[in-house]
Amino acid sequence: MDSFLQVQKSTIALLGFDLFSENREMWKRPYRAMNVFGIAAIFPFILAAVLHNWMHVMLLADAMVALLITILGLFKFSMILYLRRDFKRLIDKFRLLMSNEAEQGEEYAEILNAANKQDQRMCTLFRTCFLLAWALNSVLPFVRMGLSYWLAGHAEPELPFPCLFPWNIHIIRNYVLSFIWSAFASTGVVLPAVSLDTIFCSFTSNLCAFFKIAQYKVVRFKGGSLKESQATLNKVFALYQTSLDMCNDLNQCYQPIICAQFFISSLQLCMLGYLFSITFSQTEGVYYASFIATIIIQAYIYCYCGENLKTESASFEWAIYDSPWHESLGAGGASTSICRSLLISMMRAHRGFRITGYFFEANMEAFSSIVRTAMSYITMLRSFS
């Protein structure tokens, strides 16, 4: 439970406010979110670069990638602000349910600890990929300028984001300030993505743990009498229903985020795939490859977590089937009532729970569809070049 809470605090703290404080104290360190405001301020200059390079496919694709990244980063940050109270309520529900289940036995606490350890490993991998992409994005302009100077004897100034500024960046002072602004603003893309995606991964990991605890309990339940059996099953069903309710709350929060993530990721993949296919034998190819890997991992996390949640919630049906329910039943109407409740629960568990993005379900099938669609877009873009 402590590790779960630590994940939430550390990720939200990246953006400069604290969900665990009172509203008046939430923005006591607003300067830590200046990088997000920086990306908002640089957005018009990225849009200007898109319009300026409209007739050049490669430059347009590069500028469009930056534009989509900034749009997604600003959208995620705005969603964090809009949903901060909902996130706080969800975190409080998780903490309460985790405490209640951990106190009921060491085996339940072990299930929760295993889920949080797996969550921490995934979050570490995700953060590493994003930080690597951010570092390469900051270093790439110098690599480009160095290669250009080595091959042609002169170099054009390069920035982390394709921007069209109203001032002359060939002047060293203007270039240094523009580069610092762009590099600083790029963290405004990384931090909201890392925060929201990490919290989603943490939520779904613990929801899967709750479903596993419900399965563990129903497989091993045994009552000395019909009344005791019914009381035990009622507690198990209450845990399963509470977990489903929390899944629904989580899905309502993340539906617009997942919809925007999948739509923009599809466009990003086709643009980046096109750029990578053009520059795979050049130094820029390493940057585009790492960027593609980051986008794929980002989409994969949502699909993987959604698939796990669906599987664990649906597995409750088989747990009921494997349970020793027949050993706790006798003759009479009470046993019929228990059988009916077991059948109804199996029917509900058969559907499981599906994380959706309004128009689609976040699962591995959706992930495969995104990758296939991106590949078809790459082929279309190459035909225009």
Side-chain angles (χ1 to χ4, degrees):
M1 187 181 68
D2 293 337
S3 58
F4 168 78
L5 187 59
Q6 187 61 36
V7 168
Q8 314 307 325
K9 285 187 174 182
S10 61
T11 52
I12 291 298
L14 292 173
L15 295 173
F17 58 90
D18 188 1
L19 288 180
F20 302 88
S21 300
E22 298 296 332
N23 289 339
R24 63 178 180 275
E25 298 178 357
M26 185 173 292
W27 283 96
K28 60 184 178 182
R29 296 185 303 274
Y31 60 88
R32 294 182 60 181
M34 286 299 294
N35 45 17
V36 180
F37 302 135
I39 196 65
I42 207 173
F43 177 82
F45 304 109
I46 299 176
L47 180 60
V50 172
L51 298 176
H52 180 73
N53 297 308
W54 189 255
M55 300 303 296
H56 195 293
V57 177
M58 186 170 179
L59 294 179
L60 175 63
D62 196 17
M64 279 296 299
V65 169
L67 184 68
L68 292 171
I69 290 172
T70 56
I71 291 174
L72 186 59
L74 292 173
F75 176 76
K76 286 191 172 184
F77 183 72
S78 63
M79 291 303 296
I80 290 176
L81 294 182
Y82 178 72
L83 298 171
R84 64 185 186 276
R85 293 185 180 87
D86 297 318
F87 284 143
K88 188 178 187 304
R89 282 193 292 268
L90 262 178
I91 291 171
D92 292 338
K93 289 181 180 179
F94 271 83
R95 293 171 61 189
L96 179 61
L97 188 56
M98 291 171 69
S99 298
N100 293 338
E101 295 302 321
E103 291 173 357
Q104 295 183 25
E106 293 183 1
E107 62 272 28
Y108 307 139
E110 184 60 32
I111 292 175
L112 292 170
N113 289 333
N116 282 286
K117 288 179 181 179
Q118 179 184 5
D119 169 52
Q120 288 180 341
R121 288 194 294 268
M122 289 188 63
C123 292
T124 299
L125 174 63
F126 183 67
R127 290 174 181 173
T128 301
C129 291
F130 252 88
L131 290 175
L132 177 62
W134 174 79
L136 289 174
N137 185 59
S138 300
V139 172
L140 182 63
F142 297 105
V143 175
R144 283 177 170 175
M145 289 188 295
L147 288 175
S148 178
Y149 185 79
W150 182 44
L151 295 174
H154 69 278
E156 290 293 321
E158 299 275 354
L159 295 172
F161 287 114
C163 298
L164 185 62
F165 292 112
W167 53 82
N168 186 7
I169 62 173
H170 290 82
I171 300 175
I172 295 181
R173 181 185 61 185
N174 292 346
Y175 172 74
V176 171
L177 293 176
S178 300
F179 183 89
I180 293 175
W181 183 13
S182 300
F184 180 69
S186 64
T187 60
V189 174
V190 174
L191 296 184
V194 170
S195 297
L196 265 184
D197 300 348
T198 300
I199 291 175
F200 179 79
C201 183
S202 182
F203 279 145
T204 53
S205 294
N206 284 278
L207 283 170
C208 289
F210 294 148
F211 287 125
K212 287 180 180 179
I213 291 174
Q215 297 168 33
Y216 185 93
K217 287 183 175 181
V218 78
V219 166
R220 290 161 179 80
F221 96 94
K222 185 179 293 186
S225 63
L226 289 174
K227 184 176 181 181
E228 185 178 346
S229 298
Q230 184 69 67
T232 302
L233 284 175
N234 288 341
K235 292 180 181 179
V236 177
F237 295 154
L239 172 61
Y240 185 76
Q241 185 59 50
T242 300
S243 301
L244 288 177
D245 292 339
M246 294 170 67
C247 287
N248 187 59
D249 293 339
L250 179 65
N251 193 47
Q252 288 183 355
C253 290
Y254 270 89
Q255 270 186 332
I257 298 169
I258 293 175
C259 183
Q261 177 69 60
F262 278 38
F263 177 71
I264 293 180
S265 292
S266 300
L267 295 177
Q268 286 177 323
L269 282 176
C270 73
M271 300 290 181
L272 288 169
Y274 168 75
L275 292 171
F276 177 71
S277 65
I278 299 297
T279 62
F280 73 95
S281 61
Q282 304 173 15
T283 307
E284 292 91 335
V286 178
Y287 162 72
Y288 292 128
S290 66
F291 220 146
I292 290 172
T294 301
I295 300 301
I296 289 177
I297 290 175
Q298 193 174 24
Y300 178 79
I301 280 183
Y302 282 100
C303 296
Y304 174 79
C305 292
E307 187 74 27
N308 276 356
L309 199 58
K310 176 184 176 181
T311 301
E312 291 298 336
S313 59
S315 296
F316 189 68
E317 174 190 12
W318 293 102
I320 296 175
Y321 180 81
D322 294 334
S323 67
W325 55 270
H326 54 280
E327 298 178 6
S328 301
L329 301 180
S335 62
T336 304
S337 176
I338 291 178
C339 288
R340 186 182 299 112
S341 63
L342 288 172
L343 287 173
I344 293 174
S345 298
M346 290 180 70
M347 292 171 62
R348 172 58 188 91
H350 180 74
R351 293 185 290 142
F353 188 88
R354 293 167 172 79
I355 295 292
T356 62
Y358 292 123
F359 313 109
F360 53 86
E361 180 183 342
N363 54 22
M364 297 310 297
E365 183 179 353
F367 176 76
S368 301
S369 177
I370 289 175
V371 175
R372 289 196 304 268
T373 303
M375 293 303 103
S376 64
Y377 287 161
I378 292 170
T379 303
M380 181 186 67
L381 286 173
R382 283 188 61 84
S383 66
F384 292 137
S385 61

